[in-house]
Amino acid sequence: MGTRAGGRRTGPKCIAIVGPFASGKTTLLEAILARTGAIPRQNPVSSGSTVSDHSPEARAHAMSVEANFATTEFMGEQLTFVDCPGSIEFAFEAEPVLAACDLAVVVAEADEKKIPALQLIMRKLDELAIPRILFLNKVDKAVAGVRDTLKMLQPASSMPLLLRQIPLRKDGVVIGSIDLALERAYIYREYAESEVAEIPGDDKARELEARFSMLETLADHDDHLMEQLLEEIEPPKDAVFDDLSADLRTGAVTPVLIGTAEKGNGVLRLLKAIRHDAPDVEATRKRLGVPDGNQTVVQVMKTIHTAHGGKLSVSRVLSGQLADAAEFFLSNGDTAKVSGIYKMLGKDQIKQTSAKAGDTVALGKLDNVKTGQTLSSAKGGIRPLVALDPPQPVFAFALRPKERKDEVKMSAAIQRLAEEDPSLGLRHNQDSAETVLSGHGEMHLRVVRERLEGKNQIPIEGHAPAVPYRETIRKSVQQRGRHKKQSGGHGQFGDVVIEIKPLPRGTGFQFSDTITGGVVPKTYIQSVETGVRDYLKTGPLGFPVVDVAVNLSDGSYHAVDSSDMAFQMAAKLAMKEGMAACSPVLLEPVMKVAIVTPSDATSRIIALIPQRRGQILGYDARPDWPGWDVVEATMPQAEIGDLIIELRSATAGVASYKAVFDHMAELTGRLADEAMNANGKAA
Ligand SMILES: Nc1nc2c(ncn2[C@@H]2O[C@H](COP(=O)(O)OP(=O)(O)OP(=O)(O)O)[C@@H](O)[C@H]2O)c(=O)[nH]1
Ligand SMILES: [Mg+2]
C-alpha cells in the first residue's frame, strides 16, 4: 500500500469556490450548507435568500459581487467555504482569499464560451500554487458527454484534468454517477443523499474504460502503479485513493467530480473528496513560508464594515491560537487589538471565545488593519506573507454628492468602501475638482455607487471623468501690453512687449527675456513671468496652455507708479491679446493601449480600434498564454472611457487592457467644439 499522501488531514480547512461567472458557485455553496446542516434547506439563487448573495447589490444584479464566507461542519470536521464572484470585474475579491486557503473548488460547466474565463482562474491558481478540484456542474442539462467536455476544458488547465466520476444516464437523463475510484454507482435523489447501487451491467464497459484512463494518469506520477498497469495487475483500492490524495495535494492533477448543484446532486461526493484528499493549513503554512515558532500568525482575507458600524477582518489563523482581546503586530510594527471573534455564515456572525490554527474567523475592530496584511503575535510583526497587486483599473467615474452637506459623509463612506475593496481606485482630479473612482468595469463601479446610495444613504451625481485637454498655439506673435491707471495719489504703470512662440510637443513652457539697458528692472521681469504663468492656467480655449515660449523683449517702467502687480497685469493683457492671434488649438491626450483577448476575438477587437480613432500598432500571441493575443494601438483618452464595455461584450467578459499616456495630439473640428462646450458647462 502506498503512503504518498501521508494520511488524511483533519484540521479545519478553508476552501475557495471559484469559477467562471454563473457556473453555479453560489448554488453549490448553498447546497453544501444544506447538506451539512448549516442551513435548514437549499434556497435557489433566484429566491434572493441564499447565504452568499445576501446583499441588495448581489440580488439586484443576480450575480455575486463579493466574497462570502460560510463555516460548516462535515462529519465532525470544520470546513470554511468562500464563495467568490465569477465576474472578472470582481475577480480581485478572490485574491486575498486564495492566498490563504488550502484548496480551490473550481466550478465549471460544459460551455465553450466560458473557457477563457476558466483559463484565467486556473492560471491564477497556478501562480499561487493552490491545489484544486474541478466540479463539473450542471450535468443535468449537459448534452455532450463528460469526457468530451473535459477534452474541451483541458486547454484551460495546465494540469491534467482527471475524471473521477462519470454520469449514469437513463433515457438520456442523468440519474446518478459512477465513482471510478470506489467503483460504485450513486443514484441521485433531489436534495438528499444519493442511493448507493451496483454499477449497471450496461455501463460496466464504459466504467472500466474511464477507470483505466484515470489510472493511467495517476501512473504518470507513480511508477509502482505504472508497473501494475503494464502487468495488468489490479491495483489495491487504498493505493488508488492514496495516489488521488497525493496528486491533488502536490498539484500533479486536477481531479474532476460531477454534479448538479441546483438539486444538491454530487455534493456529498465532493465533500467526501475534500475531507479525504484536501490539504489543511499545514500545507498552506508551508506554501506561504510561515516562520516556525510559537507565534500566532493571521492572514487577513477580507474587510467588512457591518451595518452596525463594526469593522470585521475576516482572517485565516495560519498558526498558533488566539483569544478575544489578543494583541497583534503588523509587519510595519504597529499593533492592533482584537475585539470579538466570530465564525461567519454569510451575513451572520456567531461569537467565539477563541480561534486556533486552520480556523477562518472574523476578527472585530482591527482599525488599522487592511485586507491582505499579515498579523503576528511576535513583537514587531513578521514580513508580509502575501503581496496584493490590484490590476490597473479599466473604467472610471467622477462623482459628487447631490447635496453639498453630504460631502464629508461621502468621503468617509468612500474610504470605507475602498477599505473593503482594495481594487477600487480613488483620486482627486485637480484640473476638474472631481473625485474620481476607478475600477474594473461598469458593473464594479455601479455596485460601488449603489452601496453609497443604498447602505450609506448618500444620493450621488456621477458622470464620465473629464479628459485632461490642453491647448497650444500654431503661430508666433509679438504683442505689447500696457497697464496704466491714474486714480489720484499712487498710480499703476506697467508696460511690456512679449514674443509668444509655439514650442515642439511635450516641451512645456519656457520663459526668457532679452531686456537690455534695464528698460524693465530685474524684479519686474520676475513679475512678468508670474503674470504670464498665471494667464497660461486657462488659455483662449478654456484649457491650460502648454508648449509655448514667451520672451520679454521690451517695455518701460515708471519710478513711482510701477509695481509687481502692475507688471503682472501688463503681462496678462499682452498674453490675452497675443494668444488670440496665435491660432490656438486644442490638444488631447493619446494613450498607448495593450489589449489582451482570447485569439478568436482578435479580429473583432481590431475592428473596434479605428471606430474609436485608434491606430493599430500591431498584434501578436500573448507570451506564455496559449490561445490569447495582445493587440497594441494608440487611442485618444476620450475614446477609452467606455472601451472596456465593448471589449468585454466581444469576449464573454474576459478581455482587458492597460493604457499609458503616449502623447498629446491636436484636436480640431466637431470633437474639439464638443470638448470646449462641455468644459464651458462644467466650469
Ligand atoms: N441546470 C442547472 N442550472 C444550475 C445549476 N447550478 C446552478 N444553476 C443555475 O446557474 C445560474 C447561476 O448560478 P449561481 O449559483 O448564481 O452561479 P455563480 O457561479 O455563483 O455566479 P456568479 O457568482 O455571479 O459568478 C442560476 O440560474 C442557477 O440556478 C445546475 O446544477 N444545473
Ligand atoms: Mg455566485
Side-chain angles (χ1 to χ4, degrees):
M1 190 176 106
T3 52
R4 293 183 56 221
R8 199 164 74 72
R9 308 305 311 174
T10 57
K13 290 171 186 164
C14 181
I15 300 129
I17 305 179
V18 293
F21 55 94
S23 60
K25 299 173 290 298
T26 299
T27 307
L28 176 65
L29 176 59
E30 197 71 5
I32 288 171
L33 296 177
R35 180 50 47 85
T36 54
I39 55 172
R41 89 192 78 78
Q42 180 177 347
N43 289 307
V45 284
S46 58
S47 69
S49 47
T50 57
V51 167
S52 273
D53 288 348
H54 53 75
S55 73
E57 297 79 29
R59 288 204 300 270
H61 303 299
M63 65 194 286
S64 300
V65 297
E66 63 189 313
N68 272 290
F69 293 73
T71 298
T72 185
E73 252 189 38
F74 179 61
M75 298 174 80
E77 284 172 25
Q78 182 184 300
L79 303 176
T80 298
F81 289 93
V82 193
D83 174 21
C84 298
S87 159
I88 195 170
E89 299 192 22
F90 302 98
F92 197 72
E93 273 287 294
E95 292 216 10
V97 171
L98 289 170
C101 73
D102 307 321
L103 178 82
V105 171
V106 182
V107 182
E109 60 184 297
D111 183 346
E112 205 171 4
K113 287 199 298 299
K114 294 188 184 176
I115 291 177
L118 180 63
Q119 195 185 2
L120 287 178
I121 291 153
M122 291 300 206
R123 291 196 66 117
K124 181 52 73 182
L125 297 177
D126 285 349
E127 193 185 299
L128 299 172
I130 315 261
R132 66 212 76 160
I133 293 177
L134 191 132
F135 184 75
L136 183 59
N137 192 29
K138 307 191 187 179
V139 289
D140 57 328
K141 65 166 209 188
V143 276
V146 178
R147 280 192 284 168
D148 287 341
T149 301
L150 280 208
K151 265 193 211 123
M152 177 177 92
L153 300 181
Q154 182 63 66
S157 168
S158 60
M159 290 175 199
L161 298 174
L162 177 100
L163 190 59
R164 253 201 80 163
Q165 293 174 318
I166 54 171
L168 197 57
R169 290 196 165 82
K170 194 173 172 187
D171 306 328
V173 178
V174 177
I175 57 154
S177 70
I178 297 171
D179 190 293
L180 301 173
L182 284 165
E183 300 210 82
R184 245 186 245 154
Y186 294 87
I187 312 293
Y188 290 150
R189 290 188 294 191
E190 276 190 30
Y191 310 114
E193 202 169 315
S194 301
E195 197 181 318
V196 183
E198 284 300 308
I199 298 173
D202 291 352
D203 294 295
K204 195 66 197 164
R206 212 164 49 92
E207 186 266 330
L208 284 176
E209 198 190 328
R211 178 179 158 82
F212 189 73
S213 95
M214 176 184 83
L215 294 176
E216 270 184 324
T217 307
L218 291 177
D220 285 341
H221 306 279
D222 179 349
D223 295 342
H224 187 57
L225 178 61
M226 182 64 90
E227 280 167 29
Q228 288 172 328
L229 290 188
L230 290 173
E231 290 165 26
E232 294 185 25
I233 299 171
E234 178 62 27
K237 280 213 167 66
D238 280 352
V240 174
F241 281 121
D242 202 42
D243 272 354
L244 282 166
S245 296
D247 288 355
L248 166 68
R249 289 182 208 168
T250 58
V253 300
T254 298
V256 179
L257 299 176
I258 62 171
T260 300
E262 206 164 45
K263 295 178 187 148
N265 296 152
V267 171
L268 193 60
R269 303 293 341 140
L270 173 67
L271 285 165
K272 288 199 169 162
I274 291 170
R275 184 180 136 87
H276 193 273
D277 299 338
D280 65 5
V281 73
E282 198 186 312
T284 304
R285 262 202 299 272
K286 225 179 256 167
R287 189 180 78 224
L288 292 173
V290 177
D292 292 335
N294 298 328
Q295 59 183 319
T296 303
V297 177
V298 162
Q299 180 65 32
V300 183
M301 300 167 119
K302 182 172 170 72
T303 304
I304 305 169
H305 287 278
T306 62
H308 304 296
K311 175 174 163 181
L312 294 176
S313 304
V314 190
S315 307
R316 188 85 198 280
V317 184
L318 292 170
S319 70
Q321 65 281 312
L322 68 135
D324 203 358
E327 205 163 4
F328 281 104
F329 292 88
L330 279 70
S331 300
N332 63 8
D334 283 357
T335 57
K337 189 170 169 181
V338 174
S339 171
I341 302 175
Y342 309 89
K343 239 181 223 173
M344 301 293 288
L345 188 64
K347 67 180 187 315
D348 296 326
Q349 296 113 38
I350 305 126
K351 202 159 174 52
Q352 311 286 300
T353 52
S354 63
K356 60 180 180 315
D359 285 354
T360 306
V361 285
L363 305 176
K365 307 250 161 54
L366 295 176
D367 288 334
N368 50 343
V369 169
K370 292 197 187 91
T371 301
Q373 284 182 330
T374 307
L375 313 181
S376 163
S377 62
K379 234 188 171 57
I382 58 166
R383 68 169 180 83
L385 297 172
V386 171
L388 285 187
D389 186 17
Q392 197 188 59
V394 292
F395 194 74
F397 147 86
L399 79 176
R400 60 168 168 248
K402 275 201 179 122
E403 293 173 45
R404 274 201 90 113
K405 69 174 174 52
D406 284 338
E407 261 167 31
V408 175
K409 198 170 148 195
M410 184 184 92
S411 81
I414 291 179
Q415 290 300 339
R416 281 195 302 273
L417 291 178
E419 218 185 313
E420 290 181 324
D421 177 357
S423 75
L424 187 64
L426 172 64
R427 73 186 150 87
H428 187 74
N429 184 342
Q430 297 284 357
D431 262 19
S432 56
E434 294 168 328
T435 296
V436 180
L437 289 181
S438 55
H440 302 282
E442 194 194 17
M443 182 61 80
H444 182 204
L445 292 188
R446 191 185 302 175
V447 165
V448 172
R449 182 178 179 158
E450 286 168 357
R451 284 178 179 145
L452 282 172
E453 300 203 301
K455 188 170 165 186
N456 294 284
Q457 302 274 302
I458 307 166
I460 297 294
E461 245 163 36
H463 53 91
V467 173
Y469 292 105
R470 296 287 179 266
E471 57 178 87
T472 191
I473 50 172
R474 285 166 163 169
K475 282 204 306 218
S476 302
V477 150
Q478 193 182 59
Q479 178 69 44
R480 168 156 241 137
R482 255 168 94 90
H483 177 67
K484 187 174 174 187
K485 264 196 182 141
Q486 202 63 54
S487 48
H490 235 344
Q492 296 177 31
F493 183 84
D495 172 32
V496 299
V497 176
I498 55 172
E499 297 151 359
I500 312 172
K501 262 199 245 162
L503 284 178
R505 206 62 70 236
T507 318
F509 169 64
Q510 283 170 4
F511 182 81
S512 56
D513 74 88
T514 44
I515 296 294
T516 48
V519 291
V520 177
K522 266 251 152 28
T523 58
Y524 297 146
I525 295 178
Q526 188 62 51
S527 310
V528 173
E529 180 171 353
T530 306
V532 170
R533 283 188 185 273
D534 200 44
Y535 172 83
L536 293 176
K537 286 179 190 159
T538 316
L541 306 180
F543 294 93
V545 182
V546 294
D547 303 340
V548 295
V550 173
N551 181 54
L552 173 64
S553 59
D554 200 1
S556 62
Y557 75 107
H558 187 280
V560 179
D561 290 347
S562 282
S563 66
D564 172 46
M565 273 322 288
F567 269 95
Q568 283 194 38
M569 289 300 290
K572 281 186 208 176
L573 275 174
M575 285 300 288
K576 191 166 180 214
E577 282 187 31
M579 284 289 289
C582 285
S583 180
V585 61
L586 209 58
L587 292 176
E588 67 168 343
V590 176
M591 317 291 277
K592 191 165 170 187
V593 289
I595 301 169
V596 293
T597 173
S599 313
D600 58 7
T602 301
S603 57
R604 255 169 296 155
I605 302 290
I606 285 176
L608 291 177
I609 290 170
Q611 291 165 20
R612 290 176 175 265
R613 299 190 287 131
Q615 272 192 326
I616 295 152
L617 300 174
Y619 67 96
D620 211 338
R622 188 178 182 189
D624 302 327
W625 278 75
W628 288 67
D629 287 342
V630 185
V631 179
E632 290 195 311
T634 52
M635 193 179 279
Q637 188 178 336
E639 303 286 343
I640 294 180
D642 59 357
L643 172 68
I644 193 67
I645 299 173
E646 227 172 342
L647 294 182
R648 294 268 158 86
S649 77
T651 57
V654 293
S656 203
Y657 75 84
K658 277 190 185 155
V660 288
F661 173 77
D662 196 63
H663 64 277
M664 299 296 284
E666 288 188 6
L667 181 67
T668 53
R670 183 178 57 83
L671 291 171
D673 292 344
E674 279 173 17
M676 286 185 277
N677 281 337
N679 190 44
K681 276 191 210 109

